Amino acid sequence: GFGIRDSIVDIVDVQFDEITLYDMQVCFTEGLTQEDEDAFREAVRQSADSVGFIYQSTVEAEFGGKTRDVYLIASDGGIGNFIDFHMDGQKLTMPGLNGAYLSAGAAELLGLAVGDTVLVRDANLKSLEVTISGIFENHVYNYLIVTPETLQQKWGETPANQMAFLNVRVGGDVHELGAEITAMDGVMNLTICADQADA
């Protein structure tokens, strides 16, 4: 029992010390315009050291007759400030056009390796095929990472961002900022990473 507990504690430490670099995640009620993003950045400017916006949705990944639900994230290169993509000590840059990064757990479950092509379908049955260009370490949830340009080419549109990652300024109170953000119009929910790590 103690051995299992220690293993879980080690994984949590790795996840929130080495992989998840952001302090909080904010989900908005709907997609954001550029004006919405600019207004949010301005609203948290005094307390947040950095803010990054992403598109995220739940999709079904299919390969070799197996399927798995994963979170599809589309973001520009700035996501590297909030999630450290690496495997076996090797750091990954953002995938190229029509490429994708897949978290190691999902890759193992689906039997996927770098160079394989995976079919992805969202809730509206929109589909895309992407080539796995990198597999990264992650211990909480399963993610497929693409660039907005890939979605633009495959779907003919770039979905609006509806989530944000934030890092609080040194000396700032993450829970105080979280309360301020939660009270804002258009915010659906908010997750503080430190609370997840302690759970």
Side-chain angles (χ1 to χ4, degrees):
F2 289 113
I4 292 173
R5 180 186 179 278
D6 289 345
S7 296
I8 293 171
V9 168
D10 289 345
I11 288 172
V12 169
D13 288 346
V14 168
Q15 181 69 42
F16 291 100
D17 291 342
E18 300 178 16
I19 300 171
T20 301
L21 307 179
Y22 56 89
D23 292 324
M24 68 176 71
Q25 174 182 287
V26 181
C27 297
F28 299 93
T29 54
E30 57 186 27
L32 305 174
T33 64
Q34 185 62 57
E35 291 74 18
D36 293 333
E37 292 184 10
D38 292 343
F40 182 78
R41 285 184 196 276
E42 181 60 28
V44 300
R45 182 172 56 85
Q46 297 296 328
S47 302
D49 185 50
S50 55
V51 181
F53 296 95
I54 65 165
Y55 167 77
Q56 178 176 299
S57 67
T58 302
V59 298
E60 182 181 75
E62 179 182 333
F63 179 78
K66 299 178 182 178
T67 60
R68 188 74 182 179
D69 286 342
V70 301
Y71 288 112
L72 171 70
I73 288 180
S75 174
D76 59 24
I79 195 174
N81 297 318
F82 303 96
I83 300 174
D84 190 313
F85 297 111
H86 66 266
M87 193 68 185
D88 298 328
Q90 181 179 355
K91 190 171 178 65
L92 305 175
T93 57
M94 282 300 290
L97 186 64
N98 299 324
Y101 290 160
L102 184 63
S103 53
E108 182 177 353
L109 289 167
L110 291 169
L112 277 161
V114 171
D116 289 334
T117 298
V118 61
L119 175 65
V120 178
R121 295 187 188 88
D122 72 1
N124 298 315
L125 300 182
K126 285 192 298 186
S127 64
L128 69 151
E129 286 188 334
V130 287
T131 300
I132 302 303
S133 52
I135 293 171
F136 64 96
E137 182 178 359
N138 194 73
H139 305 286
V140 180
Y141 307 120
N142 289 310
Y143 293 98
L144 183 79
I145 313 296
V146 299
T147 62
E149 291 78 16
T150 293
L151 293 188
Q152 175 67 43
Q153 183 172 99
K154 297 290 187 178
W155 288 348
E157 64 175 342
T158 303
N161 295 324
Q162 83 291 47
M163 294 182 65
F165 295 141
L166 288 89
N167 283 318
V168 178
R169 293 190 185 281
V170 174
D173 188 319
V174 65
H175 290 96
E176 183 177 310
L177 177 57
E180 292 175 8
I181 292 172
T182 300
M184 293 179 183
D185 290 339
V187 172
M188 182 185 298
N189 59 55
L190 180 145
T191 303
I192 294 174
C193 291
D195 294 343
Q196 283 189 308
D198 292 339

